[in-house]
Structure formats: C-alpha cells, structure tokens
Amino acid sequence: MKKNTVVIGLALFAMFFGAGNLIFPPFLGMESGTDWVIGFLCFILIDVAFSCLGIFALNAGGGANVAVESSLGKVPGLVLNTAVILCTGMIIAEPRTAATTYEMSIVPLFGDSMGMLLFSVLFFAVVLALSIRQTRVVTIIGKVLTPLLVLCVFVIIITGIVYPLGDIGAPLSEHPAQDGILAGYQAMDVLACVGFAIVMENAVRTAGYTRREDQLKVIAGASVVAGILLAVIYGGLTYLGASSALAFGAGMDRSTLIVEITKHLLGNTGVIILGIIVGLACLTTAIGLTGASASYFERTTHGKISYRVGVVVTVLMSVAICNLGLNAIVAFAAPILSVVCPPFMVCLAMLLFKKRLSSTWPIKGAAFGAFVISLLATIDDTYGVLPAIKQLPFTDLGFSWLPFAIAGGILGAVAFKVSKGSKAVA
C-alpha cells in the first residue's frame, strides 16, 4: 500500500504542479519582498491546503460528482461542477499549459520561428497519445515523469538558496496576503479537485483496492505526499522571487521573471533545465486535466460522451484557446476564477464536516453567500461600479466573501430548523 500511495501521490503532485504553480510563486515573492512568507502562507492555504483536503473530501463524500451535487442540490451542484471542469480543462488551465511551455521552453531556447499554432498542435498531440487510455494516466505521470520533474526543480531551488541572487528588499505590494490568495486562485489547483478526485478514484481501483476504507486511506496518504512536495517547492520558488527583486527590479512579467532567475543562477544550462521543468510540469498537468475532463463528462452523461470522445474534444478546444497567448489567458481567467473559487472552496471545506451537519442547508447557504459577494466584488474590480464593496471586512485579504459565507451557513441552518419545526407542527 505504501508504494502505491507514493506513486499516486507523486502523480497527484505532478498534475497539480503545472503552469500556474511555476510562474506565480516567484512573482509573488518578488512583489512581497520581506513579507514573502506571508504571501507564501496565504498562497499555500488556497492552493495546497484546500486542494489536497478537497481531493479527500470529495472522495469521502461519495465522489466528485455526488459529493457536490448532494450538498448543493442536483442542478446547482451540476452547474458548479461543470463550471469548474470547464475552467480547469478546455477553457483556462489546460490551454495555459501549452502557452506557458511555448513562452518559457521553446522561445528562450529556439526563438519563435515555430509559431504557437504548430507547437500547440504538437504539444496536444502528445497529450492525446498519453491520455487516450484512461488506465495509464496515473502510471505514466507517477512513475515516469514526476521524478525527473522534481529533480530539476530542486536543482534550481537549492542553487538559489546556496547562491542568493541578492538581498530581499522592501515589499513592492501593500497587500502580500491578498496577492497570495489571488495567486492561489490563479493557480487553479483548488478547482482541479473535481476532475483529479475522479482520476484518483480510478487510480486506486486500478491498483486493486476494492474496499472503501482502503481507497480512502490511499487517497489520504497520496494527498499528504503531494501536499508536502507542493509546499516545499512553492516555498523555494517564492524565496527565489523575493531574493530577485533588488537584482532585477520591478516590471518583469511572470514568465520572464522565472527565466531570468534561472539564467542568472545556472546560465544557459539553467535555461535548458527550466525548459525541461516547464515542459514536464505542463505536460503532466495537461495529461491529468484531459483525463479528468473526459472522465467527468463520461460520468455526468452516463456514457453518452465516451472517455475517448471527451479527450479529443478537450484537446481540440485547448489548441484553439491556447493560441490567444499566456497573458491573455491569465487576464480573462482572473474574474472568472474570482467568482467560481469561493463558493467551491466553501463547499469543499464544509464537506469535511458534512456527517456532523443535520442537513445540507448550511452548505447551500454558505456557498450562496460566498457566490453573491464574490460576484459583486468581481463586478466592482472589473467596472468600478460598486465602491462600497471595498469597505467590507477582510477585503484587503481577499476574503470579503467569508463573513457572508458564514452568515449564509447560519441562515441555512436556521431555515432548516424552522422548516422542520413547521412540518412537525403541521
């Protein structure tokens, strides 16, 4: 069981560790400066803690589809699950893997003579080949690709710790905690829980675990393995970004920053190593997201959309969207994720305590409260028409939705008791 737990945990780590996980922590460290630890802790709270707990919570709650739909209701749960899968699959996260690989692996080494279109076709052809057989996804990622990925990342991080780029300067941002939370949203690992929970469920069954208790034990252990690796690597990458601020100055975009850090630490060899890291990280994530999306739609449609059809559709849509470019994808993703992430995170957190709740009404109320405020805050961020939103508690921390989620949960519990009392009287 231990061997399978480690292999599945490595695969889960590699599926989580994709484009956003590589480019966001260094940029967060550069902006946070001496407050980089605060930004880092907020980042791993959203990106690691919620993601790894979410994998376990969804499986413990009966599976990704069932857990959310049984908590929020059939239609709201289906809508939220599908929105999450579309974000992590063909619309945002998966296209971003190819765009990031092109801008950080191909262009620095070979220039842009190939062009994004040709590269994206080749990239997703590999993804298609490695994910078309559902049972091979976790084995390919966990046993073959992840060890090389981890080794390459640690080479850069250890070099940066032993030979720092410079002193850590004053923060460039006034809100490192909020920056860390927003970076956690952008990394999108918490949303990937729906699809990856299905992949994990399939993986433990393929490994021969038929008893529910054994399946959950392996999934819990795998989540711990993935969480520890993610936290250690994120900490190292954030530190590299913090130590680079005085050396490079402000103004670099996310992908350029990590390229320059690596080049200064290891020269041209470092750029090659970074290219390998980016390629492996994005490829493993793309494979995981493709398999997750296809499995989700096969399960949701009860086989009307087969796994292989789902893989092909996901790959074709990803090819089309990734040609918009990395910056464009990050830009249009921000408001979408700011609306979708909070209610989903609330649902994941409350799933851990579902058995202790007398009904699902508190979960519904909390998720609805988080959704409404997140929607209003995003509208204000985009159009500036609701300035009063900025006066809400915890806005500076990126948690303006939290008090309303709590209030919604309490109102849901009260409404359930009132409803139950009315039926008893009747």
Side-chain angles (χ1 to χ4, degrees), residues 256-302:
T256 303
L257 177 62
I258 185 64
V259 171
E260 289 301 315
I261 288 174
T262 308
K263 186 183 294 184
H264 277 71
L265 289 173
L266 298 169
N268 291 331
T269 302
V271 177
I272 295 173
I273 293 175
L274 179 64
I276 294 172
I277 292 172
V278 172
L280 289 172
C282 292
L283 183 62
T284 53
T285 296
I287 293 169
L289 291 174
T290 299
S293 299
S295 297
Y296 172 81
F297 285 112
E298 181 181 49
R299 185 175 294 190
T300 302
T301 62
H302 304 289

mmCIF file of all heavy atoms in Angstrom, residues 256-302:
data_model
loop_
_atom_site.group_PDB
_atom_site.id
_atom_site.type_symbol
_atom_site.label_atom_id
_atom_site.label_comp_id
_atom_site.label_asym_id
_atom_site.label_seq_id
_atom_site.Cartn_x
_atom_site.Cartn_y
_atom_site.Cartn_z
ATOM 1 N N THR A 256 8.820 35.835 -17.693
ATOM 2 C CA THR A 256 10.173 36.376 -17.873
ATOM 3 C C THR A 256 10.965 36.296 -16.581
ATOM 4 O O THR A 256 12.174 36.023 -16.588
ATOM 5 C CB THR A 256 10.115 37.841 -18.353
ATOM 6 O OG1 THR A 256 9.370 37.916 -19.565
ATOM 7 C CG2 THR A 256 11.506 38.396 -18.587
ATOM 8 N N LEU A 257 10.313 36.522 -15.435
ATOM 9 C CA LEU A 257 10.997 36.525 -14.152
ATOM 10 C C LEU A 257 11.654 35.184 -13.862
ATOM 11 O O LEU A 257 12.834 35.123 -13.515
ATOM 12 C CB LEU A 257 10.019 36.886 -13.030
ATOM 13 C CG LEU A 257 10.595 36.847 -11.608
ATOM 14 C CD1 LEU A 257 11.725 37.859 -11.458
ATOM 15 C CD2 LEU A 257 9.497 37.086 -10.580
ATOM 16 N N ILE A 258 10.905 34.104 -13.992
ATOM 17 C CA ILE A 258 11.481 32.800 -13.666
ATOM 18 C C ILE A 258 12.583 32.419 -14.655
ATOM 19 O O ILE A 258 13.578 31.787 -14.289
ATOM 20 C CB ILE A 258 10.373 31.711 -13.611
ATOM 21 C CG1 ILE A 258 10.951 30.375 -13.142
ATOM 22 C CG2 ILE A 258 9.692 31.553 -14.944
ATOM 23 C CD1 ILE A 258 11.493 30.375 -11.746
ATOM 24 N N VAL A 259 12.448 32.849 -15.906
ATOM 25 C CA VAL A 259 13.511 32.602 -16.894
ATOM 26 C C VAL A 259 14.789 33.337 -16.499
ATOM 27 O O VAL A 259 15.893 32.772 -16.522
ATOM 28 C CB VAL A 259 13.057 33.026 -18.312
ATOM 29 C CG1 VAL A 259 14.245 32.976 -19.276
ATOM 30 C CG2 VAL A 259 11.942 32.130 -18.819
ATOM 31 N N GLU A 260 14.656 34.609 -16.107
ATOM 32 C CA GLU A 260 15.829 35.404 -15.734
ATOM 33 C C GLU A 260 16.470 34.897 -14.454
ATOM 34 O O GLU A 260 17.698 34.888 -14.318
ATOM 35 C CB GLU A 260 15.432 36.874 -15.578
ATOM 36 C CG GLU A 260 15.106 37.572 -16.890
ATOM 37 C CD GLU A 260 16.284 37.542 -17.847
ATOM 38 O OE1 GLU A 260 17.420 37.815 -17.394
ATOM 39 O OE2 GLU A 260 16.087 37.238 -19.036
ATOM 40 N N ILE A 261 15.657 34.477 -13.490
ATOM 41 C CA ILE A 261 16.197 33.915 -12.251
ATOM 42 C C ILE A 261 17.066 32.699 -12.562
ATOM 43 O O ILE A 261 18.202 32.572 -12.093
ATOM 44 C CB ILE A 261 15.057 33.521 -11.281
ATOM 45 C CG1 ILE A 261 14.401 34.761 -10.684
ATOM 46 C CG2 ILE A 261 15.589 32.625 -10.162
ATOM 47 C CD1 ILE A 261 13.181 34.458 -9.842
ATOM 48 N N THR A 262 16.532 31.803 -13.374
ATOM 49 C CA THR A 262 17.253 30.575 -13.714
ATOM 50 C C THR A 262 18.517 30.871 -14.508
ATOM 51 O O THR A 262 19.572 30.260 -14.278
ATOM 52 C CB THR A 262 16.332 29.639 -14.512
ATOM 53 O OG1 THR A 262 15.105 29.456 -13.807
ATOM 54 C CG2 THR A 262 16.990 28.286 -14.710
ATOM 55 N N LYS A 263 18.425 31.821 -15.434
ATOM 56 C CA LYS A 263 19.587 32.175 -16.261
ATOM 57 C C LYS A 263 20.718 32.737 -15.389
ATOM 58 O O LYS A 263 21.891 32.412 -15.594
ATOM 59 C CB LYS A 263 19.181 33.187 -17.323
ATOM 60 C CG LYS A 263 20.292 33.510 -18.324
ATOM 61 C CD LYS A 263 19.850 34.581 -19.308
ATOM 62 C CE LYS A 263 18.730 34.086 -20.201
ATOM 63 N NZ LYS A 263 18.360 35.106 -21.224
ATOM 64 N N HIS A 264 20.366 33.574 -14.402
ATOM 65 C CA HIS A 264 21.392 34.161 -13.546
ATOM 66 C C HIS A 264 21.989 33.125 -12.589
ATOM 67 O O HIS A 264 23.152 33.236 -12.211
ATOM 68 C CB HIS A 264 20.806 35.333 -12.748
ATOM 69 C CG HIS A 264 20.778 36.613 -13.510
ATOM 70 N ND1 HIS A 264 19.917 36.831 -14.575
ATOM 71 C CD2 HIS A 264 21.513 37.754 -13.393
ATOM 72 C CE1 HIS A 264 20.121 38.049 -15.059
ATOM 73 N NE2 HIS A 264 21.074 38.623 -14.372
ATOM 74 N N LEU A 265 21.214 32.129 -12.203
ATOM 75 C CA LEU A 265 21.717 31.127 -11.276
ATOM 76 C C LEU A 265 22.569 30.066 -11.968
ATOM 77 O O LEU A 265 23.607 29.648 -11.456
ATOM 78 C CB LEU A 265 20.549 30.437 -10.552
ATOM 79 C CG LEU A 265 19.787 31.257 -9.514
ATOM 80 C CD1 LEU A 265 18.577 30.488 -9.020
ATOM 81 C CD2 LEU A 265 20.696 31.622 -8.339
ATOM 82 N N LEU A 266 22.149 29.634 -13.149
ATOM 83 C CA LEU A 266 22.785 28.480 -13.796
ATOM 84 C C LEU A 266 23.208 28.734 -15.237
ATOM 85 O O LEU A 266 23.628 27.795 -15.926
ATOM 86 C CB LEU A 266 21.832 27.270 -13.752
ATOM 87 C CG LEU A 266 21.454 26.760 -12.361
ATOM 88 C CD1 LEU A 266 20.321 25.757 -12.451
ATOM 89 C CD2 LEU A 266 22.662 26.122 -11.682
ATOM 90 N N GLY A 267 23.069 29.977 -15.692
ATOM 91 C CA GLY A 267 23.479 30.284 -17.059
ATOM 92 C C GLY A 267 22.587 29.614 -18.092
ATOM 93 O O GLY A 267 21.422 29.298 -17.828
ATOM 94 N N ASN A 268 23.145 29.367 -19.272
ATOM 95 C CA ASN A 268 22.364 28.750 -20.339
ATOM 96 C C ASN A 268 21.933 27.330 -19.992
ATOM 97 O O ASN A 268 20.881 26.868 -20.436
ATOM 98 C CB ASN A 268 23.174 28.743 -21.644
ATOM 99 C CG ASN A 268 23.354 30.143 -22.204
ATOM 100 O OD1 ASN A 268 22.511 31.012 -21.988
ATOM 101 N ND2 ASN A 268 24.456 30.367 -22.903
ATOM 102 N N THR A 269 22.744 26.651 -19.178
ATOM 103 C CA THR A 269 22.354 25.314 -18.719
ATOM 104 C C THR A 269 21.066 25.390 -17.914
ATOM 105 O O THR A 269 20.191 24.524 -18.017
ATOM 106 C CB THR A 269 23.465 24.693 -17.855
ATOM 107 O OG1 THR A 269 24.672 24.622 -18.612
ATOM 108 C CG2 THR A 269 23.072 23.297 -17.389
ATOM 109 N N GLY A 270 20.958 26.442 -17.112
ATOM 110 C CA GLY A 270 19.745 26.633 -16.316
ATOM 111 C C GLY A 270 18.525 26.849 -17.176
ATOM 112 O O GLY A 270 17.427 26.371 -16.852
ATOM 113 N N VAL A 271 18.683 27.578 -18.274
ATOM 114 C CA VAL A 271 17.558 27.806 -19.175
ATOM 115 C C VAL A 271 17.088 26.481 -19.777
ATOM 116 O O VAL A 271 15.886 26.242 -19.940
ATOM 117 C CB VAL A 271 17.950 28.800 -20.295
ATOM 118 C CG1 VAL A 271 16.789 28.978 -21.269
ATOM 119 C CG2 VAL A 271 18.335 30.149 -19.686
ATOM 120 N N ILE A 272 18.052 25.611 -20.085
ATOM 121 C CA ILE A 272 17.686 24.283 -20.601
ATOM 122 C C ILE A 272 16.953 23.480 -19.536
ATOM 123 O O ILE A 272 15.926 22.843 -19.806
ATOM 124 C CB ILE A 272 18.950 23.527 -21.070
ATOM 125 C CG1 ILE A 272 19.580 24.249 -22.267
ATOM 126 C CG2 ILE A 272 18.604 22.085 -21.436
ATOM 127 C CD1 ILE A 272 20.924 23.676 -22.684
ATOM 128 N N ILE A 273 17.475 23.525 -18.291
ATOM 129 C CA ILE A 273 16.811 22.806 -17.192
ATOM 130 C C ILE A 273 15.403 23.349 -16.971
ATOM 131 O O ILE A 273 14.451 22.586 -16.787
ATOM 132 C CB ILE A 273 17.643 22.924 -15.896
ATOM 133 C CG1 ILE A 273 18.966 22.176 -16.040
ATOM 134 C CG2 ILE A 273 16.854 22.388 -14.693
ATOM 135 C CD1 ILE A 273 19.902 22.341 -14.866
ATOM 136 N N LEU A 274 15.272 24.682 -17.005
ATOM 137 C CA LEU A 274 13.956 25.285 -16.833
ATOM 138 C C LEU A 274 13.017 24.849 -17.953
ATOM 139 O O LEU A 274 11.832 24.585 -17.717
ATOM 140 C CB LEU A 274 14.069 26.813 -16.812
ATOM 141 C CG LEU A 274 12.742 27.561 -16.655
ATOM 142 C CD1 LEU A 274 12.106 27.246 -15.300
ATOM 143 C CD2 LEU A 274 12.936 29.065 -16.814
ATOM 144 N N GLY A 275 13.547 24.798 -19.168
ATOM 145 C CA GLY A 275 12.726 24.335 -20.282
ATOM 146 C C GLY A 275 12.204 22.933 -20.055
ATOM 147 O O GLY A 275 11.048 22.621 -20.350
ATOM 148 N N ILE A 276 13.069 22.069 -19.491
ATOM 149 C CA ILE A 276 12.641 20.692 -19.182
ATOM 150 C C ILE A 276 11.578 20.703 -18.091
ATOM 151 O O ILE A 276 10.565 19.991 -18.179
ATOM 152 C CB ILE A 276 13.854 19.850 -18.735
ATOM 153 C CG1 ILE A 276 14.840 19.688 -19.901
ATOM 154 C CG2 ILE A 276 13.397 18.479 -18.228
ATOM 155 C CD1 ILE A 276 16.152 19.043 -19.501
ATOM 156 N N ILE A 277 11.797 21.533 -17.053
ATOM 157 C CA ILE A 277 10.825 21.621 -15.953
ATOM 158 C C ILE A 277 9.465 22.069 -16.473
ATOM 159 O O ILE A 277 8.430 21.467 -16.177
ATOM 160 C CB ILE A 277 11.320 22.609 -14.875
ATOM 161 C CG1 ILE A 277 12.546 22.057 -14.161
ATOM 162 C CG2 ILE A 277 10.211 22.904 -13.854
ATOM 163 C CD1 ILE A 277 13.201 23.047 -13.224
ATOM 164 N N VAL A 278 9.476 23.155 -17.239
ATOM 165 C CA VAL A 278 8.217 23.700 -17.752
ATOM 166 C C VAL A 278 7.514 22.677 -18.634
ATOM 167 O O VAL A 278 6.305 22.446 -18.515
ATOM 168 C CB VAL A 278 8.475 25.005 -18.542
ATOM 169 C CG1 VAL A 278 7.204 25.462 -19.246
ATOM 170 C CG2 VAL A 278 8.967 26.094 -17.602
ATOM 171 N N GLY A 279 8.295 22.052 -19.518
ATOM 172 C CA GLY A 279 7.693 21.062 -20.409
ATOM 173 C C GLY A 279 7.068 19.913 -19.647
ATOM 174 O O GLY A 279 5.938 19.503 -19.917
ATOM 175 N N LEU A 280 7.819 19.372 -18.657
ATOM 176 C CA LEU A 280 7.298 18.252 -17.869
ATOM 177 C C LEU A 280 6.115 18.666 -17.007
ATOM 178 O O LEU A 280 5.112 17.955 -16.910
ATOM 179 C CB LEU A 280 8.405 17.680 -16.986
ATOM 180 C CG LEU A 280 9.517 16.895 -17.695
ATOM 181 C CD1 LEU A 280 10.633 16.555 -16.723
ATOM 182 C CD2 LEU A 280 8.954 15.622 -18.320
ATOM 183 N N ALA A 281 6.241 19.839 -16.353
ATOM 184 C CA ALA A 281 5.166 20.301 -15.471
ATOM 185 C C ALA A 281 3.876 20.514 -16.247
ATOM 186 O O ALA A 281 2.793 20.096 -15.828
ATOM 187 C CB ALA A 281 5.586 21.596 -14.769
ATOM 188 N N CYS A 282 4.003 21.190 -17.373
ATOM 189 C CA CYS A 282 2.806 21.489 -18.163
ATOM 190 C C CYS A 282 2.245 20.240 -18.830
ATOM 191 O O CYS A 282 1.025 20.074 -18.944
ATOM 192 C CB CYS A 282 3.119 22.555 -19.202
ATOM 193 S SG CYS A 282 3.463 24.180 -18.485
ATOM 194 N N LEU A 283 3.147 19.344 -19.256
ATOM 195 C CA LEU A 283 2.676 18.112 -19.897
ATOM 196 C C LEU A 283 1.933 17.224 -18.905
ATOM 197 O O LEU A 283 0.845 16.707 -19.218
ATOM 198 C CB LEU A 283 3.867 17.356 -20.480
ATOM 199 C CG LEU A 283 3.539 16.068 -21.254
ATOM 200 C CD1 LEU A 283 2.681 16.381 -22.469
ATOM 201 C CD2 LEU A 283 4.825 15.356 -21.676
ATOM 202 N N THR A 284 2.499 17.052 -17.694
ATOM 203 C CA THR A 284 1.826 16.203 -16.707
ATOM 204 C C THR A 284 0.479 16.793 -16.295
ATOM 205 O O THR A 284 -0.503 16.064 -16.124
ATOM 206 C CB THR A 284 2.711 16.015 -15.457
ATOM 207 O OG1 THR A 284 3.123 17.305 -14.965
ATOM 208 C CG2 THR A 284 3.938 15.198 -15.772
ATOM 209 N N THR A 285 0.435 18.106 -16.148
ATOM 210 C CA THR A 285 -0.837 18.744 -15.794
ATOM 211 C C THR A 285 -1.856 18.614 -16.927
ATOM 212 O O THR A 285 -3.032 18.335 -16.692
ATOM 213 C CB THR A 285 -0.620 20.226 -15.446
ATOM 214 O OG1 THR A 285 0.203 20.307 -14.285
ATOM 215 C CG2 THR A 285 -1.944 20.923 -15.150
ATOM 216 N N ALA A 286 -1.396 18.832 -18.153
ATOM 217 C CA ALA A 286 -2.304 18.731 -19.296
ATOM 218 C C ALA A 286 -2.860 17.317 -19.432
ATOM 219 O O ALA A 286 -4.050 17.122 -19.718
ATOM 220 C CB ALA A 286 -1.583 19.143 -20.580
ATOM 221 N N ILE A 287 -2.009 16.312 -19.217
ATOM 222 C CA ILE A 287 -2.470 14.922 -19.270
ATOM 223 C C ILE A 287 -3.518 14.678 -18.183
ATOM 224 O O ILE A 287 -4.580 14.094 -18.428
ATOM 225 C CB ILE A 287 -1.286 13.954 -19.097
ATOM 226 C CG1 ILE A 287 -0.347 14.044 -20.295
ATOM 227 C CG2 ILE A 287 -1.788 12.509 -18.943
ATOM 228 C CD1 ILE A 287 0.977 13.326 -20.080
ATOM 229 N N GLY A 288 -3.207 15.141 -16.964
ATOM 230 C CA GLY A 288 -4.152 14.955 -15.859
ATOM 231 C C GLY A 288 -5.470 15.659 -16.090
ATOM 232 O O GLY A 288 -6.548 15.105 -15.841
ATOM 233 N N LEU A 289 -5.417 16.910 -16.577
ATOM 234 C CA LEU A 289 -6.638 17.675 -16.814
ATOM 235 C C LEU A 289 -7.463 17.091 -17.956
ATOM 236 O O LEU A 289 -8.705 17.085 -17.910
ATOM 237 C CB LEU A 289 -6.291 19.138 -17.124
ATOM 238 C CG LEU A 289 -5.718 19.950 -15.958
ATOM 239 C CD1 LEU A 289 -5.280 21.326 -16.438
ATOM 240 C CD2 LEU A 289 -6.738 20.081 -14.830
ATOM 241 N N THR A 290 -6.786 16.598 -18.988
ATOM 242 C CA THR A 290 -7.507 15.975 -20.102
ATOM 243 C C THR A 290 -8.238 14.731 -19.631
ATOM 244 O O THR A 290 -9.429 14.543 -19.917
ATOM 245 C CB THR A 290 -6.521 15.606 -21.231
ATOM 246 O OG1 THR A 290 -5.888 16.789 -21.714
ATOM 247 C CG2 THR A 290 -7.246 14.936 -22.393
ATOM 248 N N GLY A 291 -7.520 13.871 -18.903
ATOM 249 C CA GLY A 291 -8.162 12.667 -18.380
ATOM 250 C C GLY A 291 -9.282 12.990 -17.412
ATOM 251 O O GLY A 291 -10.340 12.339 -17.428
ATOM 252 N N ALA A 292 -9.076 14.012 -16.573
ATOM 253 C CA ALA A 292 -10.096 14.405 -15.602
ATOM 254 C C ALA A 292 -11.353 14.932 -16.298
ATOM 255 O O ALA A 292 -12.476 14.572 -15.935
ATOM 256 C CB ALA A 292 -9.534 15.468 -14.662
ATOM 257 N N SER A 293 -11.166 15.807 -17.282
ATOM 258 C CA SER A 293 -12.315 16.382 -18.001
ATOM 259 C C SER A 293 -13.097 15.301 -18.724
ATOM 260 O O SER A 293 -14.332 15.257 -18.670
ATOM 261 C CB SER A 293 -11.833 17.439 -19.005
ATOM 262 O OG SER A 293 -11.165 18.492 -18.352
ATOM 263 N N ALA A 294 -12.375 14.410 -19.417
ATOM 264 C CA ALA A 294 -13.042 13.343 -20.170
ATOM 265 C C ALA A 294 -13.783 12.396 -19.231
ATOM 266 O O ALA A 294 -14.922 11.976 -19.520
ATOM 267 C CB ALA A 294 -12.010 12.582 -20.994
ATOM 268 N N SER A 295 -13.164 12.053 -18.105
ATOM 269 C CA SER A 295 -13.820 11.172 -17.127
ATOM 270 C C SER A 295 -15.070 11.830 -16.551
ATOM 271 O O SER A 295 -16.103 11.168 -16.338
ATOM 272 C CB SER A 295 -12.850 10.823 -15.994
ATOM 273 O OG SER A 295 -11.747 10.102 -16.472
ATOM 274 N N TYR A 296 -14.992 13.136 -16.287
ATOM 275 C CA TYR A 296 -16.135 13.857 -15.727
ATOM 276 C C TYR A 296 -17.325 13.827 -16.675
ATOM 277 O O TYR A 296 -18.455 13.499 -16.267
ATOM 278 C CB TYR A 296 -15.755 15.301 -15.417
ATOM 279 C CG TYR A 296 -16.947 16.153 -15.005
ATOM 280 C CD1 TYR A 296 -17.441 16.108 -13.704
ATOM 281 C CD2 TYR A 296 -17.596 16.978 -15.922
ATOM 282 C CE1 TYR A 296 -18.531 16.856 -13.326
ATOM 283 C CE2 TYR A 296 -18.690 17.738 -15.549
ATOM 284 C CZ TYR A 296 -19.161 17.676 -14.252
ATOM 285 O OH TYR A 296 -20.262 18.418 -13.884
ATOM 286 N N PHE A 297 -17.093 14.166 -17.926
ATOM 287 C CA PHE A 297 -18.210 14.210 -18.866
ATOM 288 C C PHE A 297 -18.746 12.818 -19.187
ATOM 289 O O PHE A 297 -19.940 12.643 -19.429
ATOM 290 C CB PHE A 297 -17.799 14.942 -20.142
ATOM 291 C CG PHE A 297 -17.705 16.434 -19.962
ATOM 292 C CD1 PHE A 297 -16.481 17.084 -20.028
ATOM 293 C CD2 PHE A 297 -18.840 17.181 -19.685
ATOM 294 C CE1 PHE A 297 -16.393 18.465 -19.835
ATOM 295 C CE2 PHE A 297 -18.768 18.556 -19.483
ATOM 296 C CZ PHE A 297 -17.548 19.199 -19.564
ATOM 297 N N GLU A 298 -17.880 11.814 -19.158
ATOM 298 C CA GLU A 298 -18.364 10.439 -19.342
ATOM 299 C C GLU A 298 -19.282 10.052 -18.186
ATOM 300 O O GLU A 298 -20.343 9.452 -18.389
ATOM 301 C CB GLU A 298 -17.181 9.481 -19.422
ATOM 302 C CG GLU A 298 -17.611 8.027 -19.627
ATOM 303 C CD GLU A 298 -16.414 7.088 -19.678
ATOM 304 O OE1 GLU A 298 -15.547 7.191 -18.778
ATOM 305 O OE2 GLU A 298 -16.362 6.247 -20.592
ATOM 306 N N ARG A 299 -18.863 10.408 -16.970
ATOM 307 C CA ARG A 299 -19.659 10.063 -15.794
ATOM 308 C C ARG A 299 -20.945 10.882 -15.728
ATOM 309 O O ARG A 299 -22.017 10.347 -15.420
ATOM 310 C CB ARG A 299 -18.820 10.283 -14.532
ATOM 311 C CG ARG A 299 -19.504 9.855 -13.257
ATOM 312 C CD ARG A 299 -18.572 9.980 -12.063
ATOM 313 N NE ARG A 299 -17.455 9.050 -12.140
ATOM 314 C CZ ARG A 299 -16.610 8.832 -11.125
ATOM 315 N NH1 ARG A 299 -16.777 9.471 -9.971
ATOM 316 N NH2 ARG A 299 -15.611 7.983 -11.253
ATOM 317 N N THR A 300 -20.864 12.176 -16.037
ATOM 318 C CA THR A 300 -22.032 13.053 -15.952
ATOM 319 C C THR A 300 -23.095 12.688 -16.980
ATOM 320 O O THR A 300 -24.293 12.774 -16.700
ATOM 321 C CB THR A 300 -21.605 14.529 -16.150
ATOM 322 O OG1 THR A 300 -20.640 14.869 -15.147
ATOM 323 C CG2 THR A 300 -22.794 15.457 -16.019
ATOM 324 N N THR A 301 -22.667 12.302 -18.175
ATOM 325 C CA THR A 301 -23.615 11.964 -19.249
ATOM 326 C C THR A 301 -23.965 10.483 -19.257
ATOM 327 O O THR A 301 -24.647 10.016 -20.174
ATOM 328 C CB THR A 301 -23.037 12.349 -20.622
ATOM 329 O OG1 THR A 301 -21.836 11.596 -20.868
ATOM 330 C CG2 THR A 301 -22.732 13.829 -20.693
ATOM 331 N N HIS A 302 -23.478 9.754 -18.237
ATOM 332 C CA HIS A 302 -23.732 8.315 -18.132
ATOM 333 C C HIS A 302 -23.297 7.569 -19.393
ATOM 334 O O HIS A 302 -24.003 6.683 -19.902
ATOM 335 C CB HIS A 302 -25.221 8.053 -17.856
ATOM 336 C CG HIS A 302 -25.737 8.751 -16.638
ATOM 337 N ND1 HIS A 302 -25.401 8.385 -15.357
ATOM 338 C CD2 HIS A 302 -26.549 9.848 -16.510
ATOM 339 C CE1 HIS A 302 -25.990 9.194 -14.486
ATOM 340 N NE2 HIS A 302 -26.676 10.091 -15.152
#
